[in-house]
Amino acid sequence: MRFRQVHLDFHTSEAISGIGKQFSKSQFQAMLRRGHVDSITVFAKCHHGWAYHPTRENEMHPGLDFDLLGAMIEAAHEIGVKTPVYISAGLDEKLARRHPEWLIRDQNDQTNWVKGFLVPGYHQLCMNSPYLDILIRQIEEVVAGYDADGIFLDIVGVRSCYCHNCIAAIREEGGDPRDLQAMKQLWERTYANYTRRVKEAVEAIKPGMRIFHNGGHIRQGRRDLLHMNTHLELESLPTGGWGYDHFPLSARYVQGLGLEFLGMTGKFHTSWGEFGGYKHPNALRYETALSLANGAKCSIGDQLHPEGKMDEATYDLIGKAYAEVEQKEAWCDGVANVADVALLSVESAGAETSEGQTGKTGKSDSGAVRILLEGKLLFDVVDPEADFSPYRVVILPDHISLTPDLEQKLTAYAAAGGKVLASGTSGLNSARNAFAFDFGARWVGENPYRPDYFRPAFAMPSLGSAAYVMYSQGQRLEQAGGTVLGEREDPYFNRDVFTFCSHRHTPSSQRSGGPGMIEGPHGIYIAWNVFEDYATSGSLILKEMVLHALNRLLPGKTLTVHLPAQGIVTLQDQREKNRLVNHLLYASPVRRGERIEIIEDLLPLYDIEVSVRVPKSVKKVYLAPQMEELVWELRDGAVCYRVPKLECHQMVVLDYEK
C-alpha cells in the first residue's frame, strides 16, 4: 500500500449540469504532484447513484458527456499514481426512489439515513433485495473495464433491517421476525453473502485485487468481518464526529491483526460533503504523523467540484503534510508495535450482544485510551482472541463480562505472572458472583450510594490529600489480605426529595465504606467505572488513580518520557531493518465553535529526556529523517537520550544488533 493517499469524494446531484467540463489531465496531474500524492481513490458511482463512466449496468450522470473515471485513471497512472476505485454500495438514491421496497426499514417501517422522502438526504438499501444483483454487475463492469488498483465499497456493514424481503426470508426459514436473535443471524448472513459475492465477482476478473468494505468504524472483536477485506482503511476524521481519541483506539487494535491499514482523515474543517472548508495545515501534519506513529499509511479525504477542476488550495494544504510523510516513509514501513499493556476493549468483549452497532467509540474504551496516551504508556487494544502472554498488564475496563473461556484464559495468564488491572464489574467471574482474580478482596455488591468518595492511601502527583467524589457507579468490597490503596467513603445519604444537601450532591460522611482500590497477587482492582467516568467528566483523580496502579504493576516499563498531557509516544519495531523507531508527537487541540476541536498552533518542546529498555545491543541513536546522531548512554539497563526539539512530530531511531 502507498503512504500518501487521497480519497476523492464526488456525490453530485443530477440537478447540476456541466459535470467535469473543467477537468484537465495536466491540471489533475499538477495537483497530485503539488500534494505529493502517490495514490488517489477515484469514483465510479456516487451516493446519488450515478456512474461517471459509460455504462451498461448503471446510468451515466445526465450532466456528464465523457468518461471521467477513465480520464482520471489515465492521468494518474501516467505519473505513477495508483487509482483504487470508489463505488457507493449502500446508497443509491436514484434506485431508492424507483424501488423504495428495496430500502432498509426499521420495525416501524421507517427508512434510514433520512426518514421518508420529503427531506434531503440518502436512504440505505438492503443487500437482501434485488439491488445486490445490480450492484454486483456494476462492480464487475468497473473491474473488467478499467485498470483499477482496488475497489472501495462504501456505506456497508451488518445492518438491522425489517424490510419485507428480510421478513419474508426469515419466515421462509421457519423463523419469526419478532425473534431478535433470529433476525440478527439473518443480518449477519446477509452481509456475509454480500462480501462473498463481491469477492467472487472481483476474483473472477482480477485475482488479488484489493477490496475494502467501509462502514465508518472498525468493529473490535469481529475479526471475521475484518478479514472480509484485503486491507483496512480507518475512517477517522477528528472534526467529523470521530474526535482525536478514535484513531489511536482503532489503530492500536488493528495493527496486530496482520492486515495492512491506513488512517483516513480529511482536509475539511468539519467533515465529508463540505465545499470550501479547510483545516489548518498543522492539523494535517499532526494527523498524518499520528498515522505513521501507529504503524499506518495515510489517506486524506477531498471532494471534487462538479466541474472537475482540482482545488489548488486543497493540494497546497495536503502537500504540506505529505511532503513530510514522504521523507519519513523509510522508517515507517513493515513495523510492529511495542507494548507493555493490553487494553481488552469493551466493544470487543461484548461484540456478540451488539450486532448492527454503528457507534464509533464506547466511553470506557475511549477513556482508557485517553489515560494511556496521557500517561505515556505503550499499549495495544486487544480482543478476547488475542494472545495475552506478551503483555505485562491486561486492563479490563469497567464493563468486561467474562465468558467461561475468557475467564479461564485470563486466570491462566494471571497464574503465569501476568497482572490484571480491573475496574467496575470487570473483575467479576463469569457467574458474576465473585472476583475471578485474587485482588486481595471479596466483592460484596453494587454500592447503593452514588456518588460516593475515594480517599487515596498514596500521595497524589498533582493533588493533595482529600476525599474525591466518584461520579460513576461504585462497588462494595471487603478486604481479604490485599493491600488497600485507598478507601471508599459513602455520603451521608443519597440525594432525594426529603434528603438533599447543597446544589449537586451530599458530602462525604468521612466514614470508611471499605476498600475503593486494592492490590492482590493477581493485580489491582478499582471499585468504580473510572474509564467511562474519565471519558465523561475528565476528572484528574481518575487518571492519577489508574496511572498509580499501572506504575505499581509495571516496574521497569519499556519506555519513560516526560511530555505534556497532550503529547503522544509510541515505539515501533522495524525488525527487517533491525531498528526501533520512537515516535514523539505534540499538539494541543482547542475547541472552536460548539463541537469542533481544531489544531492550529504547534508549539515546540525542547530537551525531552527519553529512556528505552531494549533487549538487544544498540549501535546508534539518531533523529529521522534528519539523520542527526544523538548522544546516548546505557543507564540501569535502559538506553537514555535527549531529544533537542519536538515540533509536531519527531522520530528517534535506535539501530540494534541482529
Side-chain angles (χ1 to χ4, degrees), residues 1 4-10 28 32 37-45 69 72-73 76 81-88 148-154 212 231 233 262 264 272 298-304 310 315:
M1 285 178 67
R4 291 167 277 119
Q5 304 195 32
V6 161
H7 186 96
L8 191 63
D9 253 13
F10 196 71
F28 188 81
L32 296 181
V37 176
D38 58 12
S39 177
I40 182 167
T41 301
V42 293
F43 43 87
K45 175 193 172 188
L69 173 63
M72 291 187 293
I73 292 174
V81 175
K82 286 192 172 183
T83 56
V85 172
Y86 174 99
I87 294 174
S88 180
D149 294 304
I151 294 294
F152 184 108
L153 296 153
D154 204 10
F212 177 64
H231 68 286
E233 304 195 19
L262 57 81
M264 180 190 289
W272 299 110
C298 307
S299 176
I300 299 173
D302 179 28
Q303 183 165 223
L304 186 66
M310 298 278 270
Y315 289 87

Side-chain angles (χ1 to χ4, degrees), residues 260-311:
E260 280 193 284
F261 71 107
L262 57 81
M264 180 190 289
T265 183
K267 68 96 177 181
F268 315 104
H269 175 64
T270 56
S271 192
W272 299 110
E274 180 177 55
F275 290 101
Y278 301 89
K279 122 182 335 176
H280 195 283
N282 284 342
L284 277 187
R285 290 177 60 205
Y286 176 80
E287 290 160 19
T288 53
L290 188 63
S291 286
L292 298 181
N294 284 282
K297 273 71 172 184
C298 307
S299 176
I300 299 173
D302 179 28
Q303 183 165 223
L304 186 66
H305 188 276
E307 293 187 355
K309 183 178 180 181
M310 298 278 270
D311 183 60

Side-chain angles (χ1 to χ4, degrees), residues 331-332 559 561 569-574 579-585 608-612 618 620-632 639-646 649-655:
W331 294 274
C332 300
L559 186 146
V561 63
V569 59
T570 67
L571 188 64
Q572 300 285 338
D573 191 357
Q574 199 174 28
R579 60 195 183 199
L580 291 167
V581 183
N582 172 208
H583 293 262
L584 303 167
L585 298 94
I608 302 159
E609 297 287 341
V610 185
S611 68
V612 182
V618 170
K620 184 170 67 171
V621 179
Y622 61 94
L623 301 177
Q626 299 96 321
M627 302 303 295
E628 176 185 329
E629 287 201 39
L630 295 180
V631 175
W632 61 279
V639 175
C640 301
Y641 50 87
R642 180 177 56 82
V643 180
K645 181 180 180 181
L646 166 61
H649 179 221
Q650 180 62 61
M651 297 185 295
V652 182
V653 183
L654 291 75
D655 285 346

Side-chain angles (χ1 to χ4, degrees), residues 454-460 462-468:
F454 175 65
R455 188 177 293 276
F458 52 89
M460 303 295 292
S462 305
L463 302 165
S465 176
Y468 296 94

Side-chain angles (χ1 to χ4, degrees), residues 344-357:
L344 180 58
S345 86
V346 173
E347 180 184 358
S348 73
E352 71 275 8
T353 61
S354 60
E355 310 303 352
Q357 177 179 330

